[in-house]
Amino acid sequence: MAQSSQNSPESVKEILGYLNFSSGERNLRFFQVLNSYWEEKFSSPSPAGEKGFVYHIIESLENDLTELSAESAAFKVDDQAGQVLKLVREELLPAYRQFHSDLLHHHKDDAVFNSFFLAKAFETVLQQEAPRTDTDKVVKKSIKQLNDYIGYRPIPVLEGEERHQPYMHEWVAPVPLYIDGAGVAAGRYRELIEQTLTILNETDPQILYEACLDPKKLREVVIDPRAYDFDHPINRKPNYHFGIWDPLTIDNKGYYRRFVVHQVTLDGILQRLESAYMGESDAASIPRDELLYEAAAVLAGTMLMGAGVCGDTPQTYDSETSLGDLMPVIAGYRDRFYEQILEKIPEKMKPRILEEKERLFQSFGGCRQGLNRQLAKRRADQLQRISLARIYAQMGYSEAAREQTNIIAVPSARIATEIDCLITDAHLLIDQEQLEQASDNLPKIEDLIRRGINCGAIVDPWTILGFGGNYSLFHNLENSIHDHRIDDLIDLLEDIFDLYSRLQKEAA
């Protein structure tokens, strides 16, 4: 275990002092220091094991606390820091993973828990009334408080009923990449986010105004950690995969303050940079700093495009505005943004970038077209594997089906495929006259359907009544489309009822 208390004693005292004496009020200095501590530890070899790096950080802090308690009487009198560290390590983080076992099944701990997430976890536990007594209550309330993001989710209003609410497992805690006043989180995305924010801060204010993205209003930039489902109807909304303002994070002046980027886009942009020196890219001859600048410029451009669709306040667009009206405006300021970036890029890059523009008919065409190829490839791969998985499941090859869904990681595909596997398995058991074993699959199927609805992997049946089988993409009614997930749910339930009928017939 690294001896952090010897390397940076003042930082360690700040972290442990906050944990020991704070009641959970937001302290940006705590976020900064914990982020630096994380980065310092990350630069040293990570311990072996299946646990995420976050557990190594907490264990290291616990070791530091033991040393500090031997030196300071203040830490001997009150051991709140030790109790909070233990509660987060042993209870909160595992419980959070269990709570989102469907939504975040595809992620390892390191993709979900970064330095700012850990800081928020500590902060949230400290805010609870009894952090040292009723552990279960503290953990449940902390998870509910951390899960403060759902994204674009049309809510049906049914006659004679109160306003319908999203289900509890649809809410998720986004992964913070940038917090105003605390900086950019350590890790894989740090350099890219720092360069992107620099570019946005230097962008023409008129373009920022048209795009509804003022970097001075950014309180947070976060990742939506859920697997990106290309088959979801929301993807018919232009530029949705480039990010959105969180519609529920609003300041007292009515502006959105948290911008959410989708990991599929972030990883697609980074792909060119990270694969350049692995013999997998034609960009191997380009210096890394130039590739980083290009990636940041494209990320900034995609954020501007995503923000332009949703607007920066709930009143930005009214019911008279349609997506058809917006797209020419967005295309216009996007092109002006890239043209202005060309004038500001470092001189050593200009000859190559201008030649690339002539050859590819697009500013930063190498990176932008690389991103589009990555997204198109992932979409095709996802749809292909979903179809293949369900065919395997219906043929009775359960392991082969699960192998395909584990690759694409989308919860809707995984749950639907698992249901197909159980239905097919039940029919095979009926063929063998093992009716009792076949009937055991029925409650498992029902449980999967309820879990799927509860986490958003299966369409909420109330939306069938509330929206008449349609899915609203925008304020304007003409931008509603048919929700094909309803057809999928009907087909699935028909297969389940067929299984019930056959079991009853055979039992009779």
Side-chain angles (χ1 to χ4, degrees), residues 1-294:
M1 195 71 68
Q3 298 296 319
S4 62
S5 57
Q6 295 177 10
N7 296 332
S8 49
E10 295 306 317
S11 298
V12 172
K13 286 181 180 179
E14 284 192 69
I15 295 170
L16 297 177
Y18 176 84
L19 294 178
N20 207 51
F21 306 115
S22 173
S23 58
E25 65 277 5
R26 174 57 59 92
N27 186 324
L28 294 175
R29 174 63 183 170
F30 170 69
F31 278 70
Q32 285 179 323
V33 176
L34 183 60
N35 188 44
S36 298
Y37 184 90
W38 183 292
E39 190 159 31
E40 175 189 328
K41 290 289 186 181
F42 202 78
S43 62
S44 60
S46 180
E50 293 298 320
K51 286 186 176 182
F53 189 77
V54 65
Y55 291 98
H56 171 54
I57 292 293
I58 298 175
E59 289 166 3
S60 182
L61 285 171
E62 288 176 319
N63 290 343
D64 293 325
L65 180 61
T66 300
E67 295 179 15
L68 193 58
S69 298
E71 303 170 2
S72 172
F75 286 90
K76 290 181 181 178
V77 173
D78 190 347
D79 189 32
Q80 176 177 278
Q83 293 164 354
V84 169
L85 286 165
K86 182 179 179 181
L87 190 150
V88 171
R89 175 173 57 83
E90 294 185 355
E91 305 290 341
L92 179 58
L93 298 185
Y96 179 82
R97 292 309 307 263
Q98 179 60 37
F99 185 88
H100 286 307
S101 58
D102 289 319
L103 276 187
L104 304 182
H105 172 83
H106 61 297
H107 276 316
K108 293 184 178 179
D109 287 341
D110 288 342
V112 180
F113 304 135
N114 68 355
S115 58
F116 285 164
F117 189 104
L118 180 60
K120 280 193 168 186
F122 286 141
E123 176 186 80
T124 304
V125 168
L126 287 168
Q127 289 172 2
Q128 308 310 317
E129 294 179 358
R132 289 163 285 182
T133 54
D134 192 345
T135 301
D136 290 341
K137 181 178 179 181
V138 169
V139 168
K140 288 178 181 178
K141 290 180 69 175
S142 297
I143 290 175
K144 184 177 181 180
Q145 192 170 325
L146 287 168
N147 289 333
D148 63 351
Y149 175 71
I150 193 169
Y152 182 80
R153 207 291 200 180
I155 307 296
V157 179
L158 305 175
E159 184 177 353
E161 297 285 341
E162 294 184 3
R163 182 179 175 87
H164 184 65
Q165 296 296 326
Y167 298 98
M168 59 186 298
H169 287 270
E170 290 184 83
W171 297 90
V172 70
V175 182
L177 297 179
Y178 163 79
I179 295 178
D180 185 29
V184 179
R188 179 187 176 202
Y189 302 111
R190 182 180 62 80
E191 290 181 303
L192 177 60
I193 297 300
E194 287 176 342
Q195 184 68 65
T196 299
L197 293 174
T198 299
I199 290 174
L200 286 173
N201 279 301
E202 295 173 353
T203 298
D204 182 353
Q206 180 59 34
I207 292 176
L208 295 175
Y209 173 79
E210 293 179 41
C212 302
L213 201 165
D214 182 354
K216 295 183 178 62
K217 292 188 176 73
L218 272 176
R219 189 173 71 195
E220 285 185 79
V221 177
V222 299
I223 291 179
D224 183 347
R226 298 171 293 188
Y228 196 80
D229 187 354
F230 286 95
D231 199 38
H232 194 284
I234 186 57
N235 291 294
R236 297 283 296 277
K237 186 173 185 175
N239 299 336
Y240 178 77
H241 53 287
F242 290 153
I244 62 170
W245 283 108
D246 181 356
L248 298 181
T249 305
I250 305 176
D251 65 13
N252 55 13
K253 295 183 179 178
Y255 288 99
Y256 301 137
R257 298 298 300 273
R258 178 161 68 182
F259 193 85
V260 185
V261 294
H262 294 287
Q263 192 164 11
V264 66
T265 298
L266 205 56
D267 288 347
I269 291 173
L270 270 181
Q271 176 72 21
R272 184 167 180 259
L273 174 64
E274 293 180 336
S275 65
Y277 308 108
M278 299 180 183
E280 304 172 8
S281 170
D282 57 0
S285 60
I286 303 173
R288 187 180 185 281
D289 62 328
E290 295 185 17
L291 288 175
L292 177 63
Y293 189 93
E294 289 182 59

Side-chain angles (χ1 to χ4, degrees), residues 272-345:
R272 184 167 180 259
L273 174 64
E274 293 180 336
S275 65
Y277 308 108
M278 299 180 183
E280 304 172 8
S281 170
D282 57 0
S285 60
I286 303 173
R288 187 180 185 281
D289 62 328
E290 295 185 17
L291 288 175
L292 177 63
Y293 189 93
E294 289 182 59
V298 172
L299 179 58
T302 59
M303 289 174 66
L304 292 171
M305 294 166 67
V309 174
C310 57
D312 58 355
T313 73
Q315 291 79 37
T316 302
Y317 305 121
D318 56 28
S319 59
E320 300 298 318
T321 308
S322 70
L323 290 172
D325 299 329
L326 280 181
M327 297 321 294
V329 176
I330 293 173
Y333 72 67
R334 174 202 63 195
D335 292 340
R336 296 203 317 277
F337 167 75
Y338 284 118
E339 288 301 319
Q340 290 185 14
I341 287 288
L342 285 178
E343 299 174 3
K344 299 177 181 178
I345 59 175

